[in-house]
Amino acid sequence: METAAQNEDREPTADRPIAVSAAFEDSTEIIEARHLARDFLTTMQAQHGLPVSAQALDMVQLVVTELVTNARKYAPGPCVLCLEIREGAVQISVWDSSATQPSVQATDPQRVGEHGLEIVMAVSQSFCVDQEPVGKRITVTLALTDESGGNAIGRQTM
């Protein structure tokens, strides 16, 4: 895994986006992508007081795992994961070298496997696939607090 420097410091997050990115070159690094997401959000909590619910932390890790797994499974070469805090949400994007659009199958509780994108779409506020000059980028947005407004962990900014 090759990680880009985070633009983190102790300034408020509302003034500018804060992001982290990393490239993953093989399937053994999928767990590292998950850890990067967890560590990024827990750092945002500790250093910036960003409220992140326990459920949101779990969902972000799940979405990162699914998207990076698909990129590593279906595209040759590395993939790039980017996480960015934007207005109380985290934007997750994964670039890979394949131009093939992802296939989201119809819901089928009898089907074993291939439910990853169904789950990603169900838990995300937005889901977008963009063609790039080389490959594609899948971008999703997830809220950082539960819709009920409760269960946030970390400090609340005032």
Side-chain angles (χ1 to χ4, degrees):
M1 169 184 74
E2 186 176 310
T3 306
Q6 296 180 15
N7 57 342
E8 297 173 15
D9 52 29
R10 294 199 175 266
E11 295 178 25
T13 60
D15 298 347
R16 61 187 164 59
I18 295 183
V20 66
S21 63
F24 299 95
E25 299 199 29
D26 63 53
S27 296
T28 62
E29 296 179 323
I30 293 168
I31 192 72
E32 292 179 36
R34 186 178 176 89
H35 290 287
L36 177 69
R38 182 198 61 218
D39 294 347
F40 177 62
L41 291 180
T42 56
T43 298
M44 293 299 94
Q45 289 174 322
Q47 291 186 2
H48 299 284
L50 186 72
V52 179
S53 72
Q55 179 180 347
L57 187 59
D58 289 343
M59 289 300 107
V60 167
Q61 291 178 88
L62 173 66
V63 167
V64 164
T65 301
E66 291 295 338
L67 294 178
V68 172
T69 296
N70 285 350
R72 296 305 313 128
K73 185 175 181 179
Y74 298 112
C79 69
V80 177
L81 166 68
C82 298
L83 302 160
E84 185 174 338
I85 302 298
R86 291 178 174 234
E87 300 174 4
V90 62
Q91 186 176 67
I92 303 164
S93 69
V94 175
W95 170 88
D96 67 53
S97 62
S98 174
T100 303
Q101 296 287 305
S103 173
V104 181
Q105 298 183 23
T107 302
D108 179 0
Q110 302 301 312
R111 183 177 70 242
V112 176
E114 299 185 14
H115 293 280
L117 284 179
E118 274 179 71
I119 295 167
V120 168
M121 293 176 79
V123 301
S124 300
Q125 292 177 322
S126 66
F127 179 92
C128 181
V129 180
D130 293 308
Q131 289 301 131
E132 299 280 327
V134 175
K136 67 181 169 301
R137 179 175 309 276
I138 298 176
T139 304
V140 301
T141 304
L142 277 81
L144 291 175
T145 57
D146 299 345
E147 289 186 23
S148 65
N151 301 325
I153 57 177
R155 295 176 289 144
Q156 301 281 330
T157 53
M158 302 274 183

